[in-house]
Amino acid sequence: MKNNLLSKLLKKLAAAAGILLAFVLLLSLAGSYGRYQDQKNTKELVLDHLDFLNDSIESEDYERILELEGVQELRYWKNDGESLIIEYFCKGAGIAPGGRYAGFYYTSEDQPVGYEGTASNFTKEKNGWSWEEKNGDNYEYTERIAAHWYYYEAGF
């Protein structure tokens, strides 16, 4: 009787562990899908409004871009005198050390730059450039969308 009861209990525990594992895997896949959707949506936003974005840059009316749905904040820098970088924040979540920020930026030099206009020691990837902190969890990823326009994602 005890062996039969123990056998049933072990089967129930194994089933529960299987369900928990499946749930964890689904959450992991959902997180990856969400990242892809953020990147895809941001790239589509830029491409769908490219003329508007370029006109806003040419007229130096950078804040006008905040009118686009999903664009929440802007920051800009002039590096090396004439080099202009304008970063548009679209989505973020969490606080350090689990924060993640994503959006797009314009750079007059048409070269990838790090988060908040900083220089980064990027490594070329298939579709873009990335940087990861050694012995830490900070990272950056950037990808060219169109001439002078780039997607960015940073985590701290």
Side-chain angles (χ1 to χ4, degrees):
M1 177 90 172
K2 284 184 181 180
N3 285 342
N4 194 19
L5 190 59
L6 183 61
S7 176
K8 286 181 181 181
L9 181 61
L10 288 174
K11 285 180 182 179
K12 286 183 179 184
L13 285 173
I19 291 170
L20 181 61
L21 180 61
F23 182 71
V24 168
L25 289 174
L26 282 174
L27 282 177
S28 174
L29 289 173
S32 296
Y33 180 75
R35 176 179 180 196
Y36 172 74
Q37 284 298 101
D38 289 346
Q39 182 176 352
K40 181 181 177 207
N41 292 343
T42 301
K43 290 168 85 173
E44 287 176 358
L45 173 75
V46 170
L47 292 173
D48 289 349
H49 297 92
L50 194 55
D51 290 337
F52 172 78
L53 295 169
N54 287 328
D55 289 344
S56 298
I57 296 298
E58 282 182 33
S59 65
E60 297 184 10
D61 191 1
Y62 314 129
E63 291 191 14
R64 190 171 109 185
I65 294 171
L66 293 171
E67 296 172 9
L68 295 174
E69 186 176 341
V71 180
Q72 299 178 19
E73 186 179 323
L74 80 91
R75 297 182 196 122
Y76 65 93
W77 300 268
K78 286 197 174 191
N79 295 341
D80 303 328
E82 296 300 315
S83 177
L84 177 65
I85 301 162
I86 307 167
E87 185 177 277
Y88 293 92
F89 170 76
C90 293
K91 188 170 185 177
I95 55 174
R100 182 179 153 271
Y101 309 94
F104 62 93
Y105 63 92
Y106 169 88
T107 172
S108 60
E109 299 295 318
D110 200 12
Q111 295 293 317
V113 296
Y115 182 67
E116 295 186 337
T118 60
S120 284
N121 190 13
F122 284 120
T123 301
K124 179 73 173 130
E125 285 193 8
K126 184 177 179 181
N127 295 322
W129 299 265
S130 66
W131 167 85
E132 288 186 29
E133 180 183 44
K134 291 181 183 178
N135 302 319
D137 59 358
N138 296 344
Y139 73 93
E140 293 183 45
Y141 176 78
T142 189
E143 187 175 311
R144 189 171 195 251
I145 302 170
H148 301 279
W149 294 98
Y150 292 76
Y151 167 80
Y152 78 87
E153 181 178 319
F156 304 98

